[in-house]
Amino acid sequence: MTREEAVKKLVTAGRLSVAHVEDFYDSIIPKPVVPQFVADWYEEHKDEFYLNLHRVVRDFFEHLNDYYFNENPIDYDFACWYYNTKNAIQILVNMHQFGYEVEEEKRYTVRIRNLDDEETYLNYDRFRETWVFYSREDTDRFRTTHTTKQLEDGCFGWVFDCEGFEVIEVE
């Protein structure tokens, strides 16, 4: 029974409001929290979920090398997650039955050490789609906090290992 079906049944049988039943349901049946790439895989395959899940289970080990050499990073990340997660099948089924939440990725500011605070923060210019050193202020134009993936995609993954840069995790 899906979440929606359970909510409808409880609303009818218990003569409760939908909001109360949804809150109650969510409090006793927690949604799985998964990385974004797992949510992306699920969204791509949810219409024929059980067929696609069967394919993953059946074909995974036979085509493991295809995942490793595939140019699609979602498939590679998903394959690694599936292989390394003890209860991956249960998590995927729970996502389908109860919904899911995407785990928050850690975000970081990156700053050049030992320089005056002004214009030493690594920013992504959303308008020009380039990286610049600018202020700490996050604006519509400039993003000042970045995920590890964003930094790696921008060829800045090395800042985590460089003593000349200060990388601080932010909320």
Side-chain angles (χ1 to χ4, degrees), residues 112-169:
I112 302 174
R113 286 186 195 273
N114 301 326
L115 290 180
D116 185 11
D117 208 26
E118 197 164 318
E119 298 185 2
T120 60
Y121 285 89
L122 182 63
N123 284 232
Y124 181 74
D125 185 336
R126 292 180 178 112
F127 294 164
R128 295 186 327 188
E129 298 182 349
T130 58
W131 293 85
V132 298
F133 284 99
Y134 201 58
S135 76
R136 170 67 177 91
E137 297 298 317
D138 201 30
T139 65
D140 288 340
R141 181 173 181 169
F142 295 105
R143 182 186 71 223
T144 60
T145 62
H146 320 287
T147 64
T148 302
K149 182 165 177 26
Q150 289 168 335
L151 290 168
E152 288 171 351
D153 288 350
C155 297
F156 288 102
W158 54 269
V159 297
F160 291 99
D161 301 320
C162 181
E163 291 182 20
F165 282 85
E166 179 180 78
V167 181
I168 299 174
E169 185 178 337

Side-chain angles (χ1 to χ4, degrees), residues 75-142:
D75 288 344
Y76 173 77
D77 290 342
F78 178 78
C80 290
W81 174 84
Y82 181 84
Y83 181 76
N84 292 310
T85 303
K86 186 177 181 178
N87 57 344
I89 294 171
Q90 179 182 354
I91 291 170
L92 292 169
V93 170
N94 287 349
M95 287 173 66
H96 191 65
Q97 290 180 323
F98 310 128
Y100 63 91
E101 294 178 10
V102 176
E103 68 187 17
E104 289 289 321
E105 291 185 68
K106 294 180 181 177
R107 300 187 79 73
Y108 305 92
T109 58
V110 178
R111 179 181 171 281
I112 302 174
R113 286 186 195 273
N114 301 326
L115 290 180
D116 185 11
D117 208 26
E118 197 164 318
E119 298 185 2
T120 60
Y121 285 89
L122 182 63
N123 284 232
Y124 181 74
D125 185 336
R126 292 180 178 112
F127 294 164
R128 295 186 327 188
E129 298 182 349
T130 58
W131 293 85
V132 298
F133 284 99
Y134 201 58
S135 76
R136 170 67 177 91
E137 297 298 317
D138 201 30
T139 65
D140 288 340
R141 181 173 181 169
F142 295 105

Side-chain angles (χ1 to χ4, degrees), residues 2 4 7 9 21 24 31 36 50 59 62 72 76 78 80 87 103 109 121 123 132 136 149:
T2 66
E4 290 74 26
V7 167
K9 219 174 228 192
V21 171
F24 173 70
K31 296 177 184 176
Q36 181 63 55
Y50 290 107
D59 297 345
E62 182 178 331
N72 185 346
Y76 173 77
F78 178 78
C80 290
N87 57 344
E103 68 187 17
T109 58
Y121 285 89
N123 284 232
V132 298
R136 170 67 177 91
K149 182 165 177 26

